[in-house]
Amino acid sequence: MGMWEYYFHTGDAAFVRSVYPQMLSTMAFVEGRLDEDGLYAKRRGDWVFIDWSKFDEDSGPMCAEQMLLCRAYDCMAKCAALVGDADGEKKYASLAAALCEKINALYWDEEKGGFIDDYKTGNRNVTRHANIFALLYELTSEERREKIIAHVIKNGEIRPITTPYFEFFELDA
């Protein structure tokens, strides 16, 4: 994601070309850590950081992490296109589309009008974090985006962001 943002703001394609092999090896490492459903799930010893907030994160893959992975796939597809790697572009675009579909199927809660933290716990806990990523990275339909704004972002009952770090993402959204 950082490499795409760097290129987007600087136009320095030569730098992206120079680090592209390392980008591929990093993504290969990440792909080796996915579960049987193609989702990233925390393993023993992992410290997965989204923000200093209370999440429903005890039993399975967290929504916010899947959204970051989806955005990483999207950025990899764009970088692959930039460096002329047609196979990589196709691979990562396909992975992004498939993961986006899974996110919308597994984590969306129609009644709450937002994405839940973790579909395996049964708690149906909604926090702002994944919903902010859904808005920023355009990971859901316009209808759902409007519901997120009304039922999560503008909802005073949803725990507010408490750190300047994540407040940046909320303000950006």
Side-chain angles (χ1 to χ4, degrees), residues 57-100:
E57 61 179 318
D58 292 332
S59 75
M62 288 182 56
C63 185
E65 294 169 348
Q66 309 323 306
M67 290 181 167
L68 288 172
L69 179 57
C70 190
R71 176 66 174 162
Y73 285 152
D74 180 56
C75 290
M76 277 299 294
K78 292 174 181 175
C79 288
L82 180 67
V83 303
D85 178 4
D87 291 338
E89 178 184 10
K90 183 178 178 182
K91 172 187 173 179
Y92 289 110
S94 176
L95 287 169
L99 183 53
C100 187

Side-chain angles (χ1 to χ4, degrees), residues 28-50:
F29 172 79
V30 170
E31 291 171 46
R33 312 243 329 146
L34 303 180
D35 69 12
E36 63 278 355
D37 296 319
L39 302 173
Y40 176 80
K42 182 169 64 173
R43 296 180 184 191
R44 179 186 288 167
D46 285 356
W47 181 53
V48 179
F49 182 78
I50 298 297

Side-chain angles (χ1 to χ4, degrees), residues 55 62-64 66-67 99-119 124-135 138-141 144-145 147-148 151-152 158:
F55 296 101
M62 288 182 56
C63 185
Q66 309 323 306
M67 290 181 167
L99 183 53
C100 187
E101 188 174 313
K102 284 180 191 176
I103 290 167
N104 279 277
L106 295 172
Y107 295 95
W108 179 256
D109 187 305
E110 186 64 33
E111 182 180 319
K112 294 187 177 207
F115 288 96
I116 58 172
D117 289 341
D118 183 343
Y119 69 95
R124 314 305 287 173
N125 187 53
V126 174
T127 54
R128 295 176 185 272
H129 301 75
N131 291 284
I132 288 168
F133 287 151
L135 296 175
E138 299 179 359
L139 296 175
T140 197
S141 68
R144 285 184 175 179
R145 291 168 57 87
K147 288 180 181 183
I148 289 168
H151 298 284
V152 179
I158 302 291

